[in-house]
Amino acid sequence: MSTKANHLLRQWDGPLTRDLVLSPGEFGLGQVPLKLSPNQTTRTVCGYCSTGCGLQVHLRDGEAINLSPATDYPVNMGMACPKGWEALSVLSSSDRATKPLLRNEHGELRETTWEVALKTFCERFKQIQQTHGPGSVALLGTGQIPVEEMVLLGILSRFGMNFQHCDSNTRQCMATAAVAYKQSFGFDAPPYTYDDFEESDLLIFVGANPCVGHPILWERVLRNRRGGKIVVIDPRHTETAQASDMHLPLLPKSDLALFYGLANQLIQCGATNHAFIDAHTNGFAEFAEFVQAWPIERVVRETGLSRNELHQLVDWIAMAERTSFWWTMGVNQSYQGVRTAQSLINLALMTGNIGRPGTGANSITGQCNAMGSRILSNTSTLLGGRDFANADHRREVANILQIDEAKIPTSSGYTYDQILDAVDRGEIRGLWMIATNTAHSWMQQERTRATLAKLDFLVVQDMYHSTESARQAHLVLPAAGWGEKEGTFINSERRIGLLKKVARAPGQALADFSIFRLIAHFWGCEELLENYDQPAKVFQLMKELTRGRPCDFSGIDGYEMLERAGGIQWPLPAGTELKETERRLFANGKFFHVDGRAKFHFTEPQAMPEPACGQFPLVLLTGRGTVSQWHTQTRTSKSAVLRKLYPKGAYIEIHPRDARERGIESLDPVEVVSRRGRTLVKAMVTPTVGLGQVFMPMHYPETNVHTLPHFDPHSRQPSYKDAAVEVRLSQEKRS
Ligand code: SF4
């Protein structure tokens, strides 16, 4: 390790948090002895989901020993779900990556030094680029690291290392909402604030199960001050549906027929807000003509819902002063997700349900920093929510970063699925994967793993060396996790929250921030990042990158202001006084298109590409299993408390009549079979799934064996919820 690199490490892993005191003493490769102020309590934000709860971390003798939900944080007001309560416990797991691991000539991952790891990283990627061209390497990032780290990575990979293909796991959860908002509003701008849960007369949840997926947001729903009715539109009788005033169990992928039909009915009964439509939108006349093709008989036929149910919903929307539409993955993870999201946006626009308390067409994000990724990761959009293809935007970014404009590509490059396809056909030979677990989370898992195995060089940068992806890597870079570094996350309601360093990373694990700086040093492009040696300095850069953009937060002085305010929602342009803790967009009816108007978008629905058939007669739905599990369980499986709160092994929920026809009882071992593979799981017989449908939680590797690789054409987001499968008693049980 060069003296300079050692010096930089010392600098970067020094005191990241002002309210913690780190020893200035000697340290090795990235390990800083902590001497924290004893018995101190400090506030941070949770690092799992996009709710962005505030957590109070309690320190004793300089060590974080426990935490509790922050009572003074405007998001969660003293509440937290089990994942938040257990956030510290998952840091001290025996499978934490504590040293770099390099695969040797015998195919074994063996410990190595940071110096060897970083030199190997740079040599191998450069060698691949020289041999196969600059497009032969790619990056898959994450919505789980702070914005400051995303910005550094975006600058380093795009402008320093000339990576042409960079995407992130937010493609799997939020790409659809981002594209839908951009096309409809002119910018990726979720319009709401969490107070809208409490201010709404009618809350319509579509493909969303906040009881399980966003439990603290569900608590906000339960605090509704206006006696708001709850409608759940979901094929499954979920926990949220069970608590609703009306559940509409529509047939899988009939959402567009339902929402076009609703629009038609609302127009026919005169429940449109013409003053709003005329003043603030474009395209309504064409939309109104289009939806005439969805009379109620057709909607009944295509959705499986009853005429009465549809009339009831139309009446409730027509009568409510404030209707809010909320959606998550049931909409986003669809081969026609963008148009489905926009069919909800259209309903909000045509009824004037936007920009007022308790209204909105509101996408709830998934990961803790998916919103940060959407505007500042430099993957699908250029820094600041700009377009790579726009010459003015490229010039603005070049000026801010003081780099040659020619370094900025004119295209965002391949999307996640296109990157993997390019790996499969040998076009991409080197892949850098950061805080994501593609080998588990991507669809058609066996093919995905075979695809990753084709890579000449796979680098996985992660907290744990045990993930399915890390086990396939040629090089594992050990990363610090939540609680072990500083920065900011942006939550679903656009609130920028402050993340604190309250624990030391184990062994030689480093903050991703430091790893990116080190890579820049070894790659030979450190001048790009030389002004950004601390997250707080990158935050000042983020302000400049958003200045003048719809997401402008140049009015936030710095971390101290975020700390005082309890997080701040964008926008907050320089010179704006922060008067309220909760702010929604579009109160003035002005959208972000050049003419200030929102647009109606609509398209003829498409049939499911793999419908149920004689051989595979059941439609497989996927989603969250329990409150205590997170995604591929990389972290949540490390908590003894959380593990007690969910089933250990994979299971499939099946309707009693489908089970009876197959001789299946609850807890029987069953085979799930699809065109893509076969897995052995336990059966759970329950009427919460519809007849002809089955449900598997996303958290177990057995699920994505069956999911079908197909994508929304606008967002390239995967459609995870409509594969055809069969379920039968296992061989062992049959014999
Ligand atoms: Fe963390 Fe989300 Fe749970 Fe809040 S709801 S404690 S942000 S995981």
Side-chain angles (χ1 to χ4, degrees):
M1 176 78 63
S2 71
T3 310
K4 176 154 190 196
N6 251 327
H7 169 74
L8 290 172
L9 273 174
R10 191 177 302 218
Q11 186 183 351
W12 305 329
D13 280 294
L16 296 180
T17 312
R18 279 154 304 288
D19 55 355
L20 302 179
V21 181
L22 305 181
S23 161
E26 287 301 306
F27 58 92
L29 293 175
Q31 191 51 73
V32 186
L34 288 174
K35 280 189 186 163
L36 306 175
S37 301
N39 308 321
Q40 187 176 353
T41 292
T42 189
R43 191 174 64 193
T44 187
V45 286
C46 180
Y48 279 104
C49 88
S50 66
T51 303
C53 295
L55 301 173
Q56 295 284 115
V57 178
H58 311 292
L59 310 168
R60 184 191 293 155
D61 298 330
E63 295 286 347
I65 53 161
N66 212 334
L67 60 77
S68 54
T71 51
D72 59 349
Y73 203 66
V75 167
N76 52 314
M77 304 163 182
M79 302 176 280
C81 82
K83 296 187 291 296
W85 279 102
E86 279 295 290
L88 285 171
S89 73
V90 305
L91 298 179
S92 51
S93 164
S94 59
D95 60 349
R96 280 296 301 269
T98 55
K99 287 185 178 170
L101 301 173
L102 184 61
R103 200 169 290 282
N104 64 18
E105 65 273 22
H106 307 297
E108 301 155 333
L109 277 174
R110 287 286 176 261
E111 288 180 1
T112 189
T113 64
W114 267 110
E115 184 167 12
V116 170
L118 293 163
K119 282 183 174 165
T120 305
F121 178 99
C122 295
E123 283 167 11
R124 294 293 304 275
F125 275 124
K126 282 184 176 182
Q127 191 182 54
I128 292 169
Q129 282 180 318
Q130 278 158 14
T131 309
H132 302 285
S136 58
V137 296
L139 157 68
L140 291 175
T142 180
Q144 295 283 335
I145 59 175
V147 193
E148 288 77 354
E149 294 183 343
M150 290 178 178
V151 170
L152 275 201
L153 174 61
I155 294 172
L156 167 67
S157 58
R158 290 280 194 193
F159 313 143
M161 301 168 72
N162 195 20
F163 271 45
Q164 296 178 352
H165 308 300
C166 304
D167 204 357
S168 144
N169 63 15
T170 49
R171 180 75 57 188
Q172 291 163 276
C173 60
M174 295 319 304
T176 284
V179 173
Y181 281 138
K182 193 170 174 194
Q183 291 180 353
S184 294
F185 297 160
F187 194 77
D188 175 15
Y192 62 100
T193 183
Y194 291 162
D195 202 40
D196 290 320
F197 288 116
E198 303 180 13
E199 286 283 343
S200 194
D201 297 329
L202 178 62
L203 299 100
I204 300 179
F205 290 95
V206 184
N209 185 12
C211 280
V212 167
H214 295 87
I216 301 308
L217 298 186
W218 178 247
E219 296 289 339
R220 299 289 300 261
V221 174
L222 298 180
R223 290 163 53 104
N224 185 286
R225 298 186 276 274
R226 297 169 63 92
K229 286 193 176 66
I230 297 167
V231 174
V232 171
I233 298 172
D234 195 308
R236 294 171 60 219
H237 196 56
T238 60
E239 293 81 351
T240 310
Q242 289 164 35
S244 69
D245 294 283
M246 178 162 62
H247 171 217
L248 299 180
L250 77 176
L251 292 170
K253 298 301 157 219
S254 63
D255 336 39
L256 272 178
L258 172 60
F259 300 130
Y260 289 156
L262 274 182
N264 186 32
Q265 290 294 308
L266 287 164
I267 292 166
Q268 287 190 14
C269 73
T272 45
N273 183 332
H274 277 289
F276 185 89
I277 292 167
D278 293 346
H280 303 299
T281 71
N282 283 325
F284 177 69
E286 295 83 352
F287 178 63
E289 190 181 342
F290 173 79
V291 297
Q292 283 175 14
W294 276 270
I296 196 155
E297 302 74 31
R298 180 177 176 189
V299 181
V300 166
R301 193 171 62 245
E302 294 188 8
T303 62
L305 300 174
S306 73
R307 190 177 272 266
N308 282 349
E309 288 170 320
L310 296 170
H311 282 314
Q312 179 73 86
L313 182 56
V314 169
D315 282 352
W316 282 1
I317 297 174
M319 304 281 289
E321 188 188 325
R322 302 171 177 183
T323 298
S324 53
F325 301 88
W326 306 89
W327 78 85
T328 60
M329 296 312 131
V331 170
N332 286 345
Q333 290 180 339
S334 166
Y335 61 90
Q336 47 192 358
V338 168
R339 289 295 180 254
T340 308
Q342 287 169 331
S343 68
L344 295 169
I345 293 172
N346 294 346
L347 286 169
L349 291 174
M350 62 184 271
T351 54
N353 274 303
I354 199 149
R356 295 184 290 115
T359 66
N362 305 328
S363 154
I364 307 174
T365 320
Q367 302 182 75
C368 54
N369 199 20
M371 280 301 300
S373 169
R374 283 156 69 166
I375 57 172
L376 281 163
S377 67
N378 214 23
T379 50
S380 54
T381 58
L382 181 59
L383 294 161
R386 294 174 170 88
D387 288 332
F388 283 96
N390 183 316
D392 292 337
H393 287 183
R394 293 197 301 276
R395 196 167 312 120
E396 287 165 14
V397 169
N399 287 339
I400 295 166
L401 296 178
Q402 298 187 327
I403 61 171
D404 182 355
E405 199 181 316
K407 279 184 183 289
I408 302 180
T410 56
S411 148
S412 57
Y414 289 160
T415 54
Y416 201 132
D417 61 304
Q418 293 164 339
I419 286 172
L420 289 179
D421 283 349
V423 172
D424 205 43
R425 60 177 182 268
E427 179 186 329
I428 288 178
R429 318 287 280 252
L431 183 64
W432 182 14
M433 201 184 282
I434 298 153
T436 194
N437 189 8
T438 307
H440 179 147
S441 64
W442 200 249
M443 65 281 296
Q444 197 173 5
Q445 194 176 92
E446 285 179 17
R447 176 177 173 241
T448 299
R449 291 181 185 185
T451 296
L452 294 176
K454 291 182 179 179
L455 284 160
D456 294 343
F457 192 47
L458 171 62
V459 178
V460 173
Q461 184 169 320
D462 203 287
M463 290 172 68
Y464 301 94
H465 60 67
S466 56
T467 69
E468 289 87 347
S469 301
R471 294 202 294 263
Q472 285 195 255
H474 299 96
L475 176 66
V476 177
L477 300 179
W482 171 91
E484 297 165 344
K485 54 188 178 177
E486 188 181 58
T488 54
F489 291 151
I490 306 180
N491 77 356
S492 273
E493 56 166 357
R494 314 177 316 283
R495 183 178 303 276
I496 303 157
L498 189 56
L499 171 72
K500 302 276 184 63
K501 178 171 179 174
V502 293
R504 73 181 101 182
Q508 296 179 5
L510 289 172
D512 296 280
F513 191 93
S514 303
I515 297 174
F516 300 146
R517 295 274 319 227
L518 276 168
I519 287 172
H521 172 75
F522 280 88
W523 193 275
C525 59
E526 61 192 320
E527 73 286 352
L528 261 180
L529 307 186
E530 67 186 355
N531 293 330
Y532 312 116
D533 59 355
Q534 294 170 29
K537 290 187 185 169
V538 181
F539 186 80
Q540 296 303 321
L541 172 65
M542 287 152 51
K543 287 167 53 179
E544 292 311 308
L545 288 165
T546 62
R547 191 185 291 274
R549 304 288 300 154
C551 54
D552 187 341
F553 56 81
S554 57
I556 302 174
D557 294 345
Y559 288 171
E560 289 78 11
M561 186 172 171
L562 289 175
E563 176 78 350
R564 277 196 310 275
I568 297 172
Q569 291 169 288
W570 64 255
L572 191 74
T576 314
E577 194 186 342
L578 182 64
K579 293 189 191 138
E580 302 140 320
T581 53
E582 302 256 358
R583 290 176 297 130
R584 63 188 59 77
L585 300 178
F586 311 132
N588 60 1
K590 286 249 175 301
F591 294 88
F592 296 119
H593 284 298
V594 175
D595 61 4
R597 289 168 172 267
K599 280 189 185 154
F600 285 85
H601 286 273
F602 46 91
T603 309
E604 194 71 32
Q606 304 296 308
M608 256 194 270
E610 187 181 73
C613 61
Q615 190 182 2
F616 303 107
L618 303 167
V619 177
L620 172 64
L621 313 174
T622 67
R624 291 194 193 281
T626 67
V627 165
S628 305
Q629 289 164 291
W630 180 251
H631 290 185
T632 65
Q633 301 201 81
T634 301
R635 279 182 291 171
T636 48
S637 66
K638 308 302 185 297
S639 156
V641 172
L642 296 180
R643 280 200 307 272
K644 285 188 184 145
L645 298 176
Y646 60 79
K648 191 165 174 233
Y651 61 94
I652 189 163
E653 296 182 7
I654 183 167
H655 189 275
R657 201 183 323 160
D658 286 325
R660 202 159 47 242
E661 282 172 8
R662 291 162 174 79
I664 293 171
E665 294 181 7
S666 269
L667 299 183
D668 275 348
V670 293
E671 290 172 353
V672 183
V673 191
S674 66
R675 290 185 179 86
R676 290 156 292 287
R678 177 188 307 263
T679 52
L680 191 63
V681 302
K682 286 266 168 62
M684 182 185 287
V685 180
T686 168
T688 55
V689 284
L691 196 62
Q693 301 163 31
V694 286
F695 171 79
M696 291 177 82
M698 68 203 274
H699 316 293
Y700 304 96
E702 287 85 348
T703 302
N704 275 326
V705 168
H706 302 290
T707 44
L708 172 73
H710 60 307
F711 307 90
D712 180 276
H714 307 281
S715 69
R716 304 303 303 169
Q717 178 153 348
S719 189
Y720 276 105
K721 300 174 190 298
D722 56 319
V725 301
E726 173 58 309
V727 180
R728 54 192 176 224
L729 276 174
S730 70
Q731 187 76 41
E732 162 205 332
K733 183 83 181 175
R734 286 199 298 265
S735 54

